[in-house]
Amino acid sequence: MQCYTELTPPTAVTHSLALSFLSASANNLVVAKTSLLQVFSLKSVVTNTSNDPSRNAQIPFQNQREEANGPYSSLPHSATVKGDRLHTTKLVLVAQFELAGTITSLARVKIIRSKSGGEALLVALRDAKLSLVEWDPERYSISTISIHYYEREDILSNLLEPDLGSCVNYLSVDPSSRCAALKFGVRHLAIIPFHQIGDDLVMDDYDPELDGERPDKKQSISEPAAEGDPDEKTPYAASFVLSLLALDPSLSHSIHLSFLYEYRDPTFGILYSQGATSSGLLHERRDDVSYAVYTLDLEQRASTTLSTVSNLPYDLFAVVPLSRLVGGALLVGGNEMIHVDQSGKTNGVAVNDFAKQSTAMAMLDQSDLNMRLENCVVKQLGLDNSDLLIILNTGEFAILSFKIDGRSVSGLSIRRAKGTDGGNAILTGPSCASVVGRSRMFVGSEDSGSLVLGWSRKSDRLKRKPSRIQMDIDGDEDEVDVDEEEIDEDEDDLYAETKPETKRQEQTPIPSDADADEDYTFRLHDSMSNSGPTTDVAIRHSPATDKNPASKAHPNTELLIASGRGRSGGLTTFQRAVTTTELDRPKIQNVHGVWSICTKRSQEDGGGDGYDKYVIASVTNDTGDEKSVVHSINPYNSDIVEILETDFDGDTGATIEVGTLNGGTKMVQVLQSELRSFDQDLGLAQIYPLTDEESDTGPKVISASFADPYVLLIRDDFSAVVLTADENGDLDEVSQSESYKAGKWLSGSLYEDSNDILRLEYPEESEDEVGNVLMFLLNAKGGLQVYRLPNLSKPVYLAEGLSFLPPFLSTEFTARRSSAKEALTEILVAELGDSTHKSPYLILRSTNDDLIMYQPYQSPLEGSKDTSLRFVKIPNPHLPSIPNEDPADEERQEERLQPLRSMHDVSGYSAVFMPGQSPCFIIKSASSPPKVIDMCDNSVKSLTQLHSPTCQKGFLYVDGEGITRAAQLPSQSQYETGWVTRRFPFGEEVHALAYHAEMDAYVLGTSTIVDFKLPEDDHSLSPSEIVTCIHSLSLEVSEHTHERQNLVCVGTALLRGPDLPSLGNIYVFAVIPVVPEPDHPETGRALKLIAKEEVKGAVTSLSGIGTQGFLLVAQGQKCMVRGLKEDGSLLPVAFLDMQCYVSVVRELSGTGLCLMGDAEEPYQLRLFGKSPHAIEVITASFLPSDKQLYIAVADADCNIHILQFDPEHPKSLSGHHLLHHTTFHTSHYPSTMTLLPFPPPSPSPSPSPSPPILLTTHSGSLALLSPLSPSAHRTLSTLQSHLQTTLPHPLGLNPRSYRLPGSGSLGLDGGMGRGGVVDGNVCRRWMEGGSWRRWGGDGGGGGGGGGEEGGGRRA
C-alpha cells in the first residue's frame, strides 16, 4: 500500500507548437512536457541601449499588451548605436494543465467556429488517443471539443502485432486544416476530416439564390460560436481508419509521413520500404527506400498515387514539407538531404563520407562538413524565407539554401553557422522547434534547457537603410523604430489568411547564389530551465541549526542531482525550503514587528538610489509595555542605529502598520487609536485621532493597507475607515454611505490598478474624482466587495460566494444552501511576477494558514463585445506546518495575527510573504505559475522589504526567538518547480556522484569527448574508460583492528569495441584535507587512491553489504563480495553467478539484506527470491513498511512494480518467488530510486513512519513513493475515487486508466484494486474544488467539518 506523488513537474520539453490560440490575432506557444501542457503568450520587452546607465533598463512594450504581435529586432549589434532599442521576446505563462496521459504530438487546426475565435489544438497521446481542444475565454481554460480513440479490438485484431505502446505513433495535419492523419500501430492510419468554409463537406448544398452571399472564410473563423445556433455543427466529420497496405501493398514498412503544401486535395508524402532497412546488409541491398505522394478523397475514403520516387538511401527518416517559396518536400537522412519537387525531380547533398558508401544516388558532395543528421530538427526560417535551419544532435546550427531557377529547385547547399554568430547557442540536440514570430524561434530540448532564439542577416539590415532615406527621416531613431513597427506589423502573423509571400515578394526576394553565402546571426531571447535527464542523485543532511522540537524534519536537506547530456551536463541542487542568505543582525531587541521606509524630499524627486532610510520597530520593553522605536539606515555601511532626537514618539504604543503617501514625501504611522504623519526628516506633520473626542475611547485598529493617496483601516468592531491625503499630505476621512457603515468587514486590501487590468466600471461622477485605487473588502459572511475609491456608495464588484472557494469566482456564483464555508481571516490583492511580467492576484488566508490564490481575467459577455471580471483559482498543493503546541495559546495567536506582506522587489521578484508559525513565500516568474515555498525558520514574527547598500533588494525579518536578521533570497536560485533550485553547469556529462559526509564534499565522475585511437600499449587509465557508479561507503580498512572508514568507491567500464571483451576497474579513494589555493577554501580537499582492482566485465553497480564493512560489486554477469586489505588489494570473499547482467544493486541498511540476500559464517551469497516474470529493470530499491519487506522496481515502460518478499505466503513457494502486488504507470522514464534515510527515533510511543523512495526521471521531475498504513490507504483511496469522478480532467482523459500499465506490461490489478498504489497527483487536487466538494461529498476522505480537515489533508 503505497502512494505515488510527483514533487516537481517535468521540465524536459518534448513537443512545441505556435498558433493563434487565445484569439484570432494572438501569437501563442503551446509546450508539451511529457504529461504537462503549457500555454504561453509572447511579450516583447524593449531595452533602450545607451551610454547612459540610467537609460539601459527594460521598459514594457508600447501598447502594454502581453501578446507580442509587434515588430521584432534581433540584431545583436544594433545595441551598439546610441539611442537604439533592442527588442527581446519573452515567454509569459498563460495556463498549464497536468494531463492523465503522455503527449506524443501537437498540431494546430483551423475550425469554422471556436469560442475564442482562434485556432484549435489537436493533441495526440499514447495508445492512439486524440483530443481536439479550444480555448474557452469564459472559463480561462481549455475546453475539450472531442475525443477520438483508436485502440479498439476491431481495429487492432492482429495478435501478432506489437501493442500500441511499442509502436511509434505520430500526427500530421493538412496545412489547410482539411483533415488530420494519425499513424498508429504498425501500419494503421486514422483520418479525421474537418469542416471548412467552401469545402464539399459543408457547402455541397450551397445555393446562392437561396442562401444569399457566400460567407467570408476569414470572418467565419474569427467569429465565436453562438450557443444554441441551429446551424452549428461539429467542426469534424466522422473519422475512419485505413490500412497502409490498402493504399499500396508495398507500404509494409512505413518510416514517416507528412502532409504537403499547394495541393487542391489533402495530400501527403510518405517514406517507406518493402523490407526492413539495415546498415549491416548494405553489401546486399541498399537504396531500398521509396517516397510516394498520395492524395486523399475524404468523401470516398480513397486515395490516388500522384508520384513515386524509388532507390532512395536506406537511412532516410523524415519528410519535411516546404511552403510555396520552395515547394515539394525535403527528405532527411542520417548522411544526406534530398529535395523532391511535385514532379518527382530530386536534388541531394551529402554531408559526410558515409553517404558515398550507403547510396549510389548522385548528390552534391559536401562531405567536408562532416555532419551527422540523426535526430536533427529542420525548420524553415519563416514563411517569407526559403532557407532552412538545421539543428544537429550536438546543438550546432547549419543553414540549408536552395538554388531556384524560376519555380524549380536546381540545387542544395549547406553551410555551418559560425560559433561567433550564435551557431552554438544550444548545448545539446533539440526535441522540437517552432517559429513563434518574425525572426523568432522556440527550440525545445529534452537534454538541456529550451531557448527562444532570434536571427538576422546582413541583407535585412541593408534593405532598411534605403527605406529610411526614402521616408525622409531626419535621423531620429525613435521615429525610425515606430515606422518600422508600422511596416512590419502584419508580418508577424505567420498564419494570416493572405499569404505573406505575396505581400513580401518585393521586400524579401528569394536569395540568390550571392546571398546564400551570407551568415545568419543568432541571439538568445529567453530560456526555460530543465533539470533532466537525471543520471544520479546524492542527499546531503547538514546539521539543523535550530534544536527546537517543533522544527521541521531535515530543514536543511539538500538534493544534488546530476543531469544533462554532453555539453549541457551539470549539477542542480534542490531544497524544499528557502534558506536565506543572512547578511547582518541588527541589534534590535524584543521585536515583534518591523517596517522599512523610503522617503523623498518631493514628489518630483526620483528618490536617488532608492535605498530605505528608516526602520520602524514595534518592541516590548522590560515591563511588558509595547512601544515603537525608529532607526536610521546608514547610507554607506547600512548600519541600523536608533534615533532619539526626532518628533517620533515611541511611547504612543505598538505600531500596527507604516506606509508612505504623497509620492513618498509623507510617512504615516498607524497606531491602535490614531494616525501620525511625518515628513522626510521625521518631523511631525499631523495627528489624526480615531477615538471619540469626548470619551477618548473607540474601536482599535487591527490592520491597515496603503495605496497612495488612501489608507484603509480595519478596526476590532468590524468597521472599515478610509482616509485620503490631499496635496499637502493632510489626512481626512472619505465620506461613507449608510450601507457601507452597516457592513461588517474582516479584512481589506487596497490595490492601485494603474494599467486598468481589472477593467471595473467607473462610478457616475466626474473623472477628476475617480482614481485607479480599488478597495477589496472581506465581509463577515465571507463575501467580497470591491469599491473604487473615493466612492463608497456602491461597490463596483460583488461576489458573495468567496468563502465557498469555487474554482471560478464571479458575481453570478451561488452555492448550495447546505454548503460549508471556509473560515477566511485575511484578503490581499498584490502583484506577483518578475521584471518581465507582473499581474495582480487575489490571495486569501484561512484560519489554519491555508493560502488560496485567484487570478483575475476578463470573460466575454454573451452577445456583446464587453467583458466581465472573473477569478480562476490557482492550484496550490502547499500544506502549512502544524503549529507548535508548547507555548501559550495567547502568544501563538498573537503571532498568527501578523498580516500578509506584499513586496514589490525582492531579488527581482514581486512576492508575498506569510509570517507566523508556517512562514512561506509566494513567488512567481513570468514562465511559471505562483509557487508557495516554505522558509527554513520555524516561525517568523514579522518581515519587511529592505533595500540598502549592503542588502540590496533583500528583507528584514524577526524570527521566532526575537532575533532580527537582514537577509536576501539565495543568489542565482530559481523557484519555477516549487523547490529552490540552482544550476551549476559543468560543460561535461556527469555520470555518477556521491556525498562524503565527513568531509562535507561531493565526488562526481564526468566524461568528455576526445579523439579516439586504438590502444598501442597498456595504460593506467584508458581514454575509453567511463565512470558507471560512485558510492560513499563505510568499509573495513584493517583486518586486525577492524577499523572502519568512509571511502569513495568508483566502478568503471572500459569500452574497447565490439570485438574485444569488456573490462572494468574498481577504485577506492579517501577524501583527505590538503592546503587550499589562496582565496579558494573549497579546494582544501583531495582524493587519495587507496586501492585499485581490475576485473573482467564492466562494473555496473556497487553497494555495501552486511555488517563487516564489505563491498558488493556487480561485474559482468557475476556479483562478488570483496574486502579491503591493508596492502591496498580487494580480496574476493564470496560470489554468485547471476546468469544475467546486473543493472542495479541495493542494500537495506542495518539488515545485511540486498537484492540477492546473504548469509554469514561462512560468508556466501544465496538467492532468496526472484520475480515471477522477467522485468526490464532500470532501477530498483527496497521499501520496508510495517514489518513487511517490499521492493519497488521501475522498468523501461515507465511502470513501477511493487514486489514483496514473504516466505510465509503460500504463493511465494517458501520465498523463492517474489509476490507481485501491483503495477503503476508513471509516464516518466525512470533514472534512479533512492530510499530516504530512516527518521531519528522519537520519544513518543507512536511508531515512526517508514521512509519513502525518492525517484528521479529523464523528464526532470522528482517523485515520492511513500508507504501507507492501512487506515491512511483507505482514506486516500476513497478521496482518490471521489476526486476522479467530480473534478474536471483536461482533454477529457481518464486518470484511472492512465495509471494502468500497457497491454504489454505486467500487473495483477494495475494499481487500482485493493492494496494498489494511490495516485497522489489526484489526491493533492483536493483543494481545487469548492468547499462543498471537500466537506460535503467525499465520504471518509474529506472529513465532516473543520476539525477533520487537518487530519484529512495530512493523511
Side-chain angles (χ1 to χ4, degrees), residues 746 777-785 797-810 813-827 842-848 850 852 854 871 873 1327-1335 1349:
L746 299 178
L777 292 176
L778 175 66
N779 59 31
K781 296 181 180 181
L784 172 66
Q785 294 188 18
Y797 190 83
L798 182 63
E800 294 294 343
L802 177 63
S803 60
F804 296 102
L805 306 181
F808 297 91
L809 178 65
S810 63
F813 172 78
T814 55
R816 295 179 299 181
R817 183 178 303 176
S818 60
S819 299
K821 295 183 178 181
E822 183 78 19
L824 302 178
T825 60
E826 189 176 356
I827 184 175
L842 174 65
I843 303 174
L844 305 173
R845 185 180 183 181
S846 67
T847 54
N848 57 355
D850 280 327
I852 303 97
Y854 280 92
F871 297 86
K873 186 192 292 187
M1327 288 291 291
E1328 294 184 19
S1331 58
W1332 67 92
R1333 293 191 184 274
R1334 292 187 283 117
W1335 290 352
E1349 181 186 1

Side-chain angles (χ1 to χ4, degrees), residues 618-656:
S618 182
V619 301
T620 303
N621 56 21
D622 298 336
T623 60
D625 299 330
E626 296 181 350
K627 58 180 297 186
S628 300
V629 182
V630 61
H631 299 75
S632 66
I633 303 177
N634 192 309
Y636 301 102
N637 55 16
S638 301
D639 287 344
I640 299 178
V641 183
E642 183 178 353
I643 304 177
L644 299 177
E645 298 179 356
T646 62
D647 293 344
F648 189 90
D649 187 3
D651 296 331
T652 54
T655 301
I656 303 299

Side-chain angles (χ1 to χ4, degrees), residues 84 156 162 230 233 314 346 398 590 704 820 885:
D84 279 3
L156 304 174
K233 298 181 179 180
Y314 82 102
T346 61
N590 302 324
E885 300 294 340

Side-chain angles (χ1 to χ4, degrees), residues 120 442 813 880 883 885 931 1009 1192 1274:
F442 173 81
F813 172 78
E885 300 294 340
K931 297 294 184 180
I1009 298 178
R1274 286 192 299 269

